[in-house]
Amino acid sequence: MTDNKPDVTKDWQATQGQKSSATRLRLFAALSWIVAIGGEIYGIILLRQNKFDQGHLPLIIGLLVGIAIFAIAGNLLWKAANRHDPARASDAARFFFQNQLGAIITLIAFLPLVFLILTDKNMDPQTKKVAGGLGAALAVLATVMGISFQPPSVEQYTQDMNACAAQIKSGQPTTACSPEVAAQAQAIAADTAAVAAATKDASHPAGQDVVYWIAPETGAVKSAEPHVFHLCAGVSPLKDKTVNSGSVTEAYAQNAVRITKQIDMEQKQCGFTAATGTN
């Protein structure tokens, strides 16, 4: 198989299934955070009503623990959603807020209540000491759980997908094939193999990794609608069209994401060895 161009896809995209999963996870995360903030509001109301002036330590401990549980649950759900549908690292503001939103929400859910506990002059001293210390510790724990220290990104998934596809094509161990990128990488590898099988000739006995597709609209990086790619520029579906060429991976990058079903016809039109048995 020959290919003199770098196998680089410029735009990994979440599949519809990944987007749906991310949406569900973000909804559940938001609900968890709402419960956590609701618990904080309830705690503040009780403080304003001097509920803890004479003790009631188990109640405030229960509130703080409950807030932490729902905040952490929301954080974990949100991180899982970001693994399915990450932001672009090149969009710095969105990338930061999407990946660190859990930590921000957790601080909102804890700091006002912990501050009021520590500054309440009427609260039972023992209750203040225990609740203040526990609240601060839980706030730190939940906030750390909300921080994404190595957040995923579209750019990282693009690199991983290309590495995964290269490993599949070369028969190497698929160490780069995480669940998030494996399906698309396998599609690239399968289409690359199909193209190689369909483009064998005397000059290329192992086939090629060069395909042709309708170029994106003027100035666009990729086509708005998905296209198929073809075996050569001279096939009838590309007649009178502006055509781009490159590897299967590069075709995918411009939204040409499926090999033609007219392989037998195109082999004849392009002069390749016929009858590969692929349709």
Side-chain angles (χ1 to χ4, degrees):
M1 188 181 301
T2 61
D3 182 11
N4 295 322
K5 297 186 178 182
D7 223 17
V8 176
T9 302
K10 295 180 175 62
D11 188 18
W12 175 91
Q13 295 183 82
T15 64
Q16 190 59 46
Q18 288 170 319
K19 289 182 178 179
S20 297
S21 295
T23 298
R24 287 194 298 271
L25 289 166
R26 287 177 177 138
L27 175 61
F28 290 135
L31 291 174
S32 294
W33 287 335
I34 288 171
V35 173
I37 292 175
E40 175 192 39
I41 292 172
Y42 181 59
I44 291 173
I45 291 172
L46 293 178
L47 276 171
R48 294 302 187 191
Q49 294 176 346
N50 300 315
K51 183 71 173 180
F52 307 110
D53 290 0
Q54 304 300 322
H56 297 286
L57 182 59
L59 175 58
I60 196 167
I61 288 177
L63 276 172
L64 291 168
V65 171
I67 292 169
I69 289 172
F70 282 100
I72 291 172
N75 293 344
L76 296 177
L77 290 166
W78 190 262
K79 285 184 179 182
N82 288 340
R83 288 194 293 273
H84 286 291
D85 186 18
R88 292 180 178 275
S90 57
D91 187 349
R94 178 180 177 182
F95 185 72
F96 173 80
F97 283 107
Q98 178 168 319
N99 287 293
Q100 309 309 332
L101 184 61
I104 295 169
I105 295 294
T106 298
L107 289 174
I108 293 172
F110 266 106
L111 287 186
L113 180 57
V114 173
F115 175 78
L116 289 175
I117 290 172
L118 294 175
T119 58
D120 192 321
K121 298 179 179 179
N122 298 317
M123 183 180 288
D124 174 71
Q126 183 64 20
T127 301
K128 176 189 284 191
K129 180 179 178 180
V130 174
L134 178 64
L138 290 174
V140 171
L141 173 63
T143 300
V144 170
M145 294 289 289
I147 297 173
S148 291
F149 294 98
Q150 293 182 316
S153 68
V154 170
E155 291 85 348
Q156 182 60 56
Y157 278 10
T158 296
Q159 294 179 21
D160 293 347
M161 182 177 67
N162 287 314
C164 176
Q167 290 172 347
I168 293 172
K169 287 187 284 186
S170 64
Q172 299 175 12
T174 52
T175 57
C177 297
S178 66
E180 291 78 20
V181 306
Q184 293 179 57
Q186 288 167 355
I188 291 172
D191 280 345
T192 300
V195 169
T199 56
K200 295 177 180 179
D201 58 18
S203 300
H204 306 93
Q208 304 176 67
D209 184 13
V210 181
V211 292
Y212 302 79
W213 63 92
I214 298 173
E217 298 78 4
T218 302
V221 174
K222 61 183 296 183
S223 297
E225 298 294 330
H227 295 291
V228 300
F229 47 82
H230 305 270
L231 302 184
C232 70
V235 296
S236 51
L238 295 179
K239 184 179 180 180
D240 299 324
K241 301 290 196 305
T242 301
V243 177
N244 281 353
S245 65
S247 68
V248 170
T249 309
E250 291 170 318
Y252 269 69
Q254 294 190 11
N255 209 16
V257 292
R258 183 171 60 81
I259 189 171
T260 177
K261 293 184 177 180
Q262 305 285 340
I263 289 181
D264 289 343
M265 179 193 77
E266 292 197 2
Q267 282 182 301
K268 295 174 183 178
Q269 293 181 352
C270 299
F272 295 119
T273 303
T276 65
T278 307
N279 289 303

